[in-house]
Coordinates of all heavy atoms in Angstrom, one line a residue:
M128 N -15.1 -5.4 -9.7 CA -14.1 -4.9 -8.8 C -12.7 -5.2 -9.4 O -12.5 -6.4 -9.8 CB -14.2 -5.5 -7.4 CG -13.1 -5.1 -6.6 SD -13.1 -5.9 -4.8 CE -14.7 -5.3 -4.1
K129 N -11.8 -4.3 -9.3 CA -10.4 -4.5 -9.9 C -9.8 -5.3 -8.8 O -10.0 -5.0 -7.6 CB -9.8 -3.2 -10.3 CG -10.4 -2.4 -11.4 CD -9.7 -1.2 -11.6 CE -10.2 -0.2 -10.5 NZ -9.8 1.1 -10.7
P130 N -8.7 -6.1 -9.2 CA -8.0 -6.9 -8.1 C -7.3 -5.9 -7.1 O -7.3 -6.3 -6.0 CB -6.9 -7.6 -9.0 CG -7.4 -7.7 -10.3 CD -8.3 -6.5 -10.5
E131 N -6.8 -4.8 -7.6 CA -6.1 -3.9 -6.6 C -7.2 -3.3 -5.6 O -6.7 -2.9 -4.4 CB -5.3 -2.8 -7.3 CG -6.2 -1.9 -8.1 CD -6.2 -2.3 -9.6 OE1 -6.0 -3.5 -9.9 OE2 -6.6 -1.5 -10.3
D132 N -8.4 -3.3 -5.9 CA -9.4 -2.8 -5.0 C -9.6 -3.6 -3.7 O -10.2 -3.2 -2.7 CB -10.7 -2.6 -5.7 CG -10.8 -1.5 -6.6 OD1 -9.9 -0.6 -6.7 OD2 -11.6 -1.6 -7.5
R133 N -9.1 -4.9 -3.6 CA -9.3 -5.7 -2.6 C -8.3 -5.4 -1.5 O -8.4 -5.9 -0.3 CB -9.0 -7.2 -3.0 CG -10.0 -7.6 -4.0 CD -9.6 -9.0 -4.7 NE -9.4 -9.9 -3.5 CZ -8.4 -11.0 -3.7 NH1 -7.8 -11.1 -4.8 NH2 -8.3 -11.8 -2.7
Y134 N -7.2 -4.7 -1.8 CA -6.1 -4.5 -0.9 C -6.1 -3.0 -0.3 O -6.2 -2.0 -1.1 CB -4.7 -4.6 -1.5 CG -4.7 -6.1 -2.0 CD1 -4.8 -6.3 -3.3 CD2 -4.4 -7.1 -1.1 CE1 -4.7 -7.7 -3.8 CE2 -4.4 -8.4 -1.5 CZ -4.4 -8.7 -2.9 OH -4.5 -10.0 -3.3
H135 N -6.1 -2.8 1.0 CA -6.0 -1.6 1.6 C -4.6 -0.9 1.4 O -3.7 -1.5 1.6 CB -6.3 -1.8 3.2 CG -6.4 -0.5 3.9 ND1 -7.5 0.3 3.8 CD2 -5.6 0.1 4.6 CE1 -7.4 1.4 4.4 NE2 -6.2 1.4 5.1
R136 N -4.8 0.3 1.0 CA -3.6 1.3 0.8 C -3.8 2.4 1.7 O -4.8 3.0 1.7 CB -3.5 1.6 -0.6 CG -3.3 0.5 -1.5 CD -3.6 0.7 -2.9 NE -5.1 1.0 -3.0 CZ -5.9 0.8 -4.1 NH1 -5.4 0.5 -5.2 NH2 -7.2 1.0 -4.0
F137 N -2.8 2.8 2.3 CA -2.7 4.1 3.1 C -1.4 4.9 3.0 O -0.4 4.2 2.8 CB -3.3 3.9 4.4 CG -2.3 3.1 5.3 CD1 -1.6 3.8 6.2 CD2 -2.3 1.7 5.4 CE1 -0.6 3.1 7.1 CE2 -1.4 1.0 6.2 CZ -0.6 1.7 7.1
V138 N -1.5 6.1 3.3 CA -0.4 7.0 3.3 C -0.4 7.7 4.7 O -1.5 8.2 5.1 CB -0.4 8.1 2.2 CG1 0.7 9.1 2.4 CG2 -0.3 7.3 0.9
R139 N 0.8 7.6 5.3 CA 0.8 8.4 6.6 C 2.1 9.2 6.7 O 3.1 8.9 6.1 CB 0.7 7.6 7.8 CG 1.8 6.7 8.2 CD 1.8 5.9 9.5 NE 0.5 5.8 10.2 CZ 0.1 4.9 11.0 NH1 1.0 3.9 11.2 NH2 -1.0 4.9 11.5
W140 N 2.0 10.2 7.5 CA 3.2 11.2 7.6 C 4.2 10.5 8.6 O 3.8 9.9 9.6 CB 2.8 12.5 8.3 CG 4.0 13.4 8.5 CD1 4.5 13.6 9.8 CD2 4.7 14.1 7.5 NE1 5.6 14.5 9.7 CE2 5.8 14.7 8.3 CE3 4.7 14.3 6.3 CZ2 6.7 15.6 7.7 CZ3 5.6 15.0 5.6 CH2 6.6 15.7 6.3
S141 N 5.5 10.6 8.4 CA 6.6 10.1 9.2 C 7.3 11.3 9.7 O 8.0 12.0 8.9 CB 7.4 9.2 8.4 OG 8.7 8.8 9.1
D142 N 7.3 11.5 11.1 CA 8.0 12.5 11.6 C 9.5 12.2 11.5 O 10.4 13.1 11.2 CB 7.7 12.7 13.2 CG 6.4 13.4 13.4 OD1 6.0 14.3 12.4 OD2 5.8 13.1 14.4
E143 N 9.9 10.9 11.7 CA 11.3 10.5 11.6 C 11.9 10.8 10.2 O 13.0 11.3 10.1 CB 11.4 8.9 11.8 CG 12.8 8.5 11.8 CD 12.8 7.0 12.1 OE1 11.8 6.4 12.7 OE2 13.8 6.4 11.7
D144 N 11.1 10.5 9.2 CA 11.6 10.7 7.8 C 11.3 12.0 7.1 O 11.8 12.4 6.1 CB 11.1 9.6 6.9 CG 11.5 8.2 7.4 OD1 12.8 8.1 7.6 OD2 10.7 7.3 7.5
Q145 N 10.3 12.7 7.9 CA 9.9 14.0 7.3 C 9.3 14.0 6.0 O 9.7 14.8 5.1 CB 10.9 15.2 7.4 CG 11.4 15.5 8.9 CD 10.2 16.2 9.5 OE1 9.7 17.3 9.2 NE2 9.7 15.6 10.7
C146 N 8.5 12.9 5.7 CA 7.8 12.8 4.4 C 6.6 11.8 4.6 O 6.5 11.2 5.7 CB 8.7 12.2 3.4 SG 9.4 10.6 3.7
Y147 N 5.8 11.8 3.6 CA 4.7 10.8 3.7 C 5.2 9.4 3.2 O 6.1 9.3 2.2 CB 3.7 11.2 2.6 CG 2.8 12.5 3.3 CD1 3.2 13.7 2.8 CD2 1.8 12.3 4.3 CE1 2.6 14.8 3.3 CE2 1.2 13.3 4.7 CZ 1.5 14.6 4.3 OH 0.9 15.8 4.8
I148 N 4.6 8.4 3.7 CA 5.1 7.0 3.4 C 3.9 6.2 3.1 O 2.8 6.3 3.8 CB 5.9 6.3 4.5 CG1 7.1 7.1 4.8 CG2 6.2 4.8 4.1 CD1 8.0 6.6 5.9
G149 N 3.9 5.5 1.9 CA 2.8 4.7 1.4 C 2.9 3.2 1.7 O 4.0 2.7 1.6
Y150 N 1.8 2.6 2.2 CA 1.8 1.3 2.6 C 0.7 0.5 2.0 O -0.4 0.9 1.7 CB 1.5 1.2 4.2 CG 2.5 1.8 5.0 CD1 2.4 3.2 5.3 CD2 3.6 1.2 5.6 CE1 3.3 3.9 6.2 CE2 4.5 1.9 6.4 CZ 4.4 3.2 6.7 OH 5.3 3.8 7.5
C151 N 1.0 -0.8 1.7 CA -0.1 -1.8 1.4 C 0.3 -3.1 2.1 O 1.1 -3.9 1.5 CB -0.1 -1.9 -0.1 SG -1.4 -3.1 -0.7
P152 N -0.1 -3.3 3.3 CA 0.3 -4.3 4.3 C 0.1 -5.7 3.7 O 0.8 -6.7 4.0 CB -0.2 -4.1 5.6 CG -1.1 -2.8 5.4 CD -1.0 -2.3 4.0
D153 N -0.9 -5.9 2.9 CA -1.2 -7.3 2.4 C -0.2 -7.8 1.4 O -0.1 -8.9 1.2 CB -2.6 -7.4 1.9 CG -3.6 -7.3 2.9 OD1 -3.5 -7.9 4.1 OD2 -4.7 -6.7 2.8
L154 N 0.5 -6.8 0.7 CA 1.4 -7.2 -0.3 C 2.9 -6.9 0.1 O 3.7 -7.5 -0.5 CB 1.1 -6.3 -1.7 CG -0.2 -6.6 -2.3 CD1 -0.4 -5.7 -3.5 CD2 -0.4 -8.1 -2.7
Y155 N 3.0 -6.0 0.9 CA 4.5 -5.5 1.3 C 4.6 -5.4 2.8 O 3.7 -4.9 3.5 CB 4.9 -4.2 0.7 CG 4.7 -4.1 -0.9 CD1 3.6 -3.6 -1.4 CD2 5.6 -4.7 -1.7 CE1 3.4 -3.5 -2.8 CE2 5.6 -4.5 -3.0 CZ 4.4 -4.0 -3.6 OH 4.3 -3.9 -5.0
A156 N 5.7 -5.7 3.3 CA 6.1 -5.5 4.7 C 6.8 -4.1 4.7 O 7.7 -3.9 4.1 CB 7.0 -6.5 5.2
G157 N 6.2 -3.2 5.4 CA 6.7 -1.9 5.5 C 6.3 -0.9 4.5 O 5.5 -1.3 3.5
G158 N 6.8 0.3 4.4 CA 6.5 1.2 3.4 C 7.1 0.9 2.1 O 8.2 0.3 1.9
V159 N 6.4 1.3 1.0 CA 6.9 1.1 -0.4 C 7.2 2.2 -1.2 O 7.8 2.1 -2.2 CB 5.9 0.2 -1.1 CG1 5.8 -1.3 -0.4 CG2 4.6 0.7 -1.2
C160 N 6.8 3.4 -0.8 CA 7.2 4.5 -1.5 C 7.1 5.8 -0.5 O 6.5 5.7 0.6 CB 6.3 4.9 -2.7 SG 4.5 5.1 -2.2
H161 N 7.6 6.9 -0.9 CA 7.6 8.1 -0.1 C 7.5 9.4 -0.9 O 7.8 9.4 -2.1 CB 8.8 8.1 0.8 CG 10.0 8.2 0.2 ND1 10.8 7.3 -0.4 CD2 10.7 9.4 -0.1 CE1 11.8 7.7 -1.0 NE2 11.9 9.0 -0.8
G162 N 7.0 10.4 -0.3 CA 7.0 11.7 -1.1 C 6.7 12.9 -0.2 O 6.3 12.7 1.0
E163 N 6.9 14.1 -0.8 CA 6.6 15.3 0.0 C 5.1 15.6 0.1 O 4.7 16.3 1.0 CB 7.4 16.5 -0.6 CG 8.8 16.4 -0.5 CD 9.6 17.4 -1.2 OE1 8.9 18.5 -1.5 OE2 10.8 17.4 -1.4
R164 N 4.4 15.2 -0.8 CA 3.0 15.4 -0.9 C 2.2 14.2 -0.8 O 2.4 13.2 -1.4 CB 2.5 16.1 -2.2 CG 3.2 17.5 -2.4 CD 2.7 18.1 -3.7 NE 1.4 17.5 -4.2 CZ 0.3 18.1 -4.6 NH1 0.3 19.4 -4.6 NH2 -0.7 17.5 -5.0
E165 N 1.1 14.2 0.1 CA 0.4 13.1 0.4 C -0.3 12.6 -0.9 O -0.4 11.3 -1.1 CB -0.7 13.4 1.3 CG -1.7 12.4 1.8 CD -2.7 12.8 2.9 OE1 -2.9 14.1 3.0 OE2 -3.3 12.0 3.5
E166 N -0.9 13.3 -1.7 CA -1.6 13.0 -2.9 C -0.7 12.3 -3.9 O -1.1 11.2 -4.5 CB -2.3 14.2 -3.6 CG -3.3 14.9 -2.8 CD -2.8 15.9 -1.8 OE1 -1.5 16.1 -1.7 OE2 -3.6 16.6 -1.1
D167 N 0.4 12.9 -4.1 CA 1.5 12.2 -5.0 C 1.9 10.9 -4.5 O 2.1 9.9 -5.3 CB 2.7 13.2 -5.2 CG 2.3 14.4 -5.9 OD1 1.2 14.5 -6.5 OD2 3.1 15.4 -5.7
T168 N 2.0 10.8 -3.2 CA 2.6 9.5 -2.5 C 1.4 8.5 -2.7 O 1.8 7.2 -3.0 CB 2.8 9.6 -1.1 OG1 3.9 10.7 -0.9 CG2 3.5 8.4 -0.4
Y169 N 0.3 8.7 -2.6 CA -0.8 7.8 -2.8 C -1.0 7.4 -4.2 O -1.2 6.3 -4.4 CB -2.2 8.5 -2.3 CG -3.2 7.5 -2.3 CD1 -3.4 6.4 -1.3 CD2 -4.3 7.4 -3.3 CE1 -4.5 5.4 -1.3 CE2 -5.3 6.4 -3.3 CZ -5.3 5.5 -2.3 OH -6.3 4.6 -2.4
A170 N -0.9 8.4 -5.2 CA -0.9 8.0 -6.5 C 0.2 7.0 -6.9 O 0.1 6.0 -7.7 CB -0.8 9.2 -7.4
E171 N 1.5 7.3 -6.4 CA 2.5 6.4 -6.6 C 2.2 5.0 -6.1 O 2.5 3.9 -6.7 CB 3.8 7.0 -6.1 CG 5.1 6.1 -6.3 CD 6.3 6.8 -5.7 OE1 6.3 7.8 -5.3 OE2 7.4 6.0 -5.9
L172 N 1.8 4.9 -4.8 CA 1.4 3.8 -4.2 C 0.4 2.9 -5.0 O 0.7 1.7 -5.2 CB 0.8 4.0 -2.7 CG 0.3 2.8 -2.0 CD1 1.4 1.9 -1.7 CD2 -0.3 3.3 -0.7
C173 N -0.6 3.6 -5.5 CA -1.6 2.8 -6.3 C -0.9 2.3 -7.5 O -1.3 1.1 -7.9 CB -2.8 4.0 -6.6 SG -3.8 4.3 -5.3
A174 N -0.1 3.1 -8.2 CA 0.7 2.4 -9.5 C 1.4 1.3 -9.1 O 1.4 0.3 -9.8 CB 1.4 3.6 -10.0
I175 N 2.2 1.4 -7.8 CA 3.0 0.2 -7.4 C 2.2 -1.1 -7.3 O 2.6 -2.1 -7.6 CB 3.8 0.6 -6.3 CG1 4.9 1.6 -6.6 CG2 4.4 -0.6 -5.5 CD1 5.6 2.3 -5.4
V176 N 1.0 -0.9 -6.5 CA 0.1 -2.0 -6.2 C -0.3 -2.6 -7.5 O -0.3 -3.8 -7.8 CB -1.0 -1.6 -5.3 CG1 -2.0 -2.7 -5.2 CG2 -0.4 -1.3 -3.9
R177 N -0.8 -1.8 -8.5 CA -1.3 -2.3 -9.8 C -0.3 -3.1 -10.5 O -0.4 -4.1 -11.1 CB -1.8 -1.2 -10.7 CG -3.1 -0.6 -10.5 CD -3.7 0.3 -11.4 NE -2.8 1.4 -11.8 CZ -2.9 2.6 -11.0 NH1 -3.8 2.8 -10.1 NH2 -2.1 3.6 -11.3
D178 N 1.1 -2.5 -10.6 CA 2.1 -3.1 -11.2 C 2.5 -4.5 -10.5 O 2.8 -5.4 -11.2 CB 3.4 -2.3 -11.3 CG 3.3 -1.0 -12.2 OD1 2.3 -1.1 -13.0 OD2 4.0 -0.2 -12.1
E179 N 2.4 -4.5 -9.2 CA 2.8 -5.8 -8.5 C 1.8 -6.8 -8.7 O 2.1 -8.0 -9.0 CB 2.9 -5.5 -6.9 CG 3.2 -6.7 -6.1 CD 4.6 -7.2 -6.2 OE1 5.4 -6.4 -6.8 OE2 4.9 -8.3 -5.9
I180 N 0.6 -6.5 -8.8 CA -0.6 -7.4 -9.2 C -0.5 -8.0 -10.5 O -0.5 -9.2 -10.8 CB -2.0 -6.9 -8.8 CG1 -2.1 -6.6 -7.3 CG2 -3.1 -7.6 -9.4 CD1 -3.3 -5.8 -6.9
A181 N -0.1 -7.1 -11.5 CA 0.1 -7.5 -12.9 C 1.2 -8.4 -13.0 O 1.2 -9.4 -13.7 CB 0.1 -6.3 -13.7
Y182 N 2.3 -8.1 -12.3 CA 3.6 -8.9 -12.3 C 3.2 -10.3 -11.9 O 3.6 -11.2 -12.5 CB 4.6 -8.2 -11.5 CG 5.9 -9.0 -11.4 CD1 6.8 -9.1 -12.5 CD2 6.2 -9.6 -10.3 CE1 7.9 -9.8 -12.4 CE2 7.4 -10.3 -10.1 CZ 8.2 -10.5 -11.2 OH 9.4 -11.3 -11.0
R183 N 2.6 -10.4 -10.6 CA 2.3 -11.6 -10.1 C 1.4 -12.5 -10.9 O 1.6 -13.7 -11.0 CB 1.9 -11.5 -8.6 CG 2.9 -11.0 -7.5 CD 2.3 -10.9 -6.2 NE 3.2 -10.3 -5.3 CZ 2.9 -10.5 -3.9 NH1 1.9 -11.1 -3.4 NH2 3.8 -9.9 -3.1
S184 N 0.4 -11.8 -11.4 CA -0.5 -12.5 -12.3 C 0.0 -13.0 -13.6 O -0.2 -14.2 -13.9 CB -1.6 -11.5 -12.7 OG -2.5 -11.2 -11.5
A185 N 0.9 -12.2 -14.2 CA 1.6 -12.7 -15.4 C 2.5 -14.0 -15.1 O 2.6 -14.7 -16.0 CB 2.4 -11.6 -16.0
K186 N 3.0 -14.0 -13.8 CA 3.9 -15.1 -13.5 C 3.1 -16.3 -13.0 O 3.6 -17.4 -12.8 CB 4.8 -14.8 -12.4 CG 5.9 -13.8 -12.9 CD 6.9 -13.5 -11.8 CE 7.4 -14.8 -11.0 NZ 8.3 -14.4 -9.9
G187 N 1.8 -16.1 -13.0 CA 0.9 -17.2 -12.5 C 0.8 -17.4 -10.9 O 0.3 -18.4 -10.6
E188 N 1.4 -16.4 -10.3 CA 1.3 -16.5 -8.8 C -0.1 -16.3 -8.3 O -0.8 -15.4 -8.8 CB 2.3 -15.5 -8.2 CG 3.8 -15.8 -8.5 CD 4.7 -14.9 -7.7 OE1 4.3 -14.2 -6.8 OE2 5.9 -14.7 -8.1
R189 N -0.4 -16.9 -7.2 CA -1.7 -16.6 -6.6 C -1.5 -15.4 -5.6 O -0.5 -15.3 -4.9 CB -2.0 -17.8 -5.7 CG -3.3 -17.8 -5.1 CD -3.7 -19.1 -4.5 NE -5.1 -19.1 -4.0 CZ -5.5 -19.6 -2.9 NH1 -4.6 -20.3 -2.3 NH2 -6.7 -19.5 -2.5
L190 N -2.4 -14.5 -5.8 CA -2.4 -13.3 -4.9 C -2.8 -13.6 -3.5 O -3.7 -14.4 -3.3 CB -3.3 -12.2 -5.5 CG -2.8 -11.7 -6.8 CD1 -3.9 -10.8 -7.5 CD2 -1.5 -10.9 -6.6
P191 N -2.1 -13.0 -2.5 CA -2.6 -13.2 -1.1 C -4.0 -12.6 -0.9 O -4.4 -11.6 -1.5 CB -1.6 -12.5 -0.2 CG -1.0 -11.4 -1.2 CD -1.1 -11.9 -2.6
G192 N -4.7 -13.2 0.0 CA -5.9 -12.7 0.3 C -5.9 -11.4 1.2 O -4.8 -11.3 2.0
P193 N -6.8 -10.5 1.0 CA -6.7 -9.2 1.8 C -7.0 -9.6 3.3 O -7.9 -10.3 3.5 CB -7.7 -8.5 1.3 CG -8.6 -9.3 0.5 CD -7.9 -10.5 0.1
A194 N -6.1 -9.2 4.2 CA -6.3 -9.5 5.7 C -6.3 -8.4 6.5 O -6.9 -8.3 7.6 CB -5.2 -10.5 6.1
V195 N -5.8 -7.2 6.1 CA -5.7 -6.1 6.9 C -7.1 -5.4 6.9 O -7.5 -5.1 5.8 CB -4.6 -5.1 6.6 CG1 -4.7 -3.7 7.2 CG2 -3.2 -5.6 6.7
R196 N -7.6 -5.0 8.0 CA -8.8 -4.3 8.1 C -8.5 -2.9 8.7 O -7.8 -2.7 9.7 CB -9.8 -5.0 8.9 CG -10.2 -6.3 8.2 CD -11.4 -7.0 9.0 NE -10.7 -7.5 10.2 CZ -11.4 -8.0 11.2 NH1 -12.8 -8.1 11.2 NH2 -10.8 -8.6 12.2
A197 N -9.0 -1.8 7.9 CA -8.7 -0.4 8.4 C -9.1 -0.1 9.8 O -8.4 0.7 10.4 CB -9.4 0.5 7.5
T198 N -10.2 -0.7 10.3 CA -10.5 -0.3 11.7 C -9.8 -1.0 12.8 O -9.9 -0.7 13.9 CB -12.1 -0.6 11.8 OG1 -12.3 -2.1 11.6 CG2 -12.9 0.2 10.9
R199 N -9.0 -1.9 12.5 CA -8.4 -2.7 13.5 C -6.8 -2.9 13.3 O -6.0 -2.8 14.3 CB -9.0 -4.1 13.4 CG -8.3 -5.1 14.5 CD -8.7 -6.4 14.3 NE -8.2 -7.0 13.1 CZ -8.0 -8.3 12.9 NH1 -8.2 -9.1 13.9 NH2 -7.3 -8.7 11.8
D200 N -6.4 -3.1 12.0 CA -4.9 -3.5 11.8 C -3.9 -2.5 11.5 O -2.8 -2.7 11.4 CB -4.9 -4.6 10.9 CG -5.7 -5.8 11.4 OD1 -5.8 -6.1 12.6 OD2 -6.2 -6.5 10.4
L201 N -4.4 -1.3 11.2 CA -3.4 -0.3 10.6 C -2.3 0.1 11.4 O -1.1 0.3 11.0 CB -4.2 0.9 10.0 CG -5.0 0.7 8.8 CD1 -5.7 1.9 8.3 CD2 -4.2 -0.1 7.7
D202 N -2.5 0.2 12.7 CA -1.4 0.6 13.7 C -0.3 -0.5 13.7 O 0.8 -0.2 13.8 CB -1.9 0.9 15.1 CG -2.7 2.3 15.1 OD1 -2.3 3.1 14.2 OD2 -3.5 2.4 15.9
F203 N -0.7 -1.7 13.4 CA 0.2 -2.8 13.5 C 1.0 -2.9 12.1 O 2.0 -3.3 12.2 CB -0.4 -4.1 13.8 CG -1.2 -4.1 15.1 CD1 -2.5 -4.0 15.2 CD2 -0.4 -4.1 16.3 CE1 -3.2 -4.1 16.4 CE2 -1.1 -4.1 17.5 CZ -2.5 -4.0 17.6
A204 N 0.4 -2.4 11.1 CA 0.9 -2.7 9.9 C 2.0 -1.7 9.6 O 2.9 -1.9 8.7 CB -0.2 -2.6 8.7
A205 N 2.0 -0.4 10.1 CA 2.9 0.6 9.7 C 4.1 0.5 10.7 O 4.2 0.0 11.7 CB 2.3 2.0 9.9

């Protein structure tokens, strides 16, 4: 399993912003990217998560444990 596979990532439509917003609540508070197409936003989110994990690992930082569970916590994370 790759390190990024441990973290839940999701994309949801924002009526307020009129675009898709990407989230990874275990690594970031709030949305981290946005786009007009759901697929493009998810791809960008995955790249951001991979880069963040590589950056933290290169600095020797300990990664947070995954805590958000899709069946319970997603409404609170967004």
Side-chain angles (χ1 to χ4, degrees):
M128 176 187 298
K129 298 176 284 187
E131 61 266 23
D132 292 340
R133 298 173 52 214
Y134 299 101
H135 186 74
R136 296 160 292 206
F137 70 98
V138 172
R139 86 173 358 157
W140 176 257
S141 169
D142 285 330
E143 180 181 339
D144 299 311
Q145 290 295 297
C146 65
Y147 289 99
I148 300 178
Y150 299 87
C151 182
D153 287 323
L154 295 177
Y155 304 99
V159 297
C160 62
H161 65 277
E163 293 180 16
R164 291 180 25 127
E165 182 179 15
E166 297 85 355
D167 296 339
T168 305
Y169 187 76
E171 182 179 355
L172 175 62
C173 290
I175 290 169
V176 168
R177 279 192 304 272
D178 290 347
E179 180 69 16
I180 290 170
Y182 174 75
R183 290 184 185 194
S184 295
K186 287 179 55 179
E188 290 183 20
R189 188 168 182 218
L190 293 170
V195 172
R196 291 185 285 171
T198 58
R199 182 187 66 148
D200 298 329
L201 290 184
D202 285 334
F203 300 111

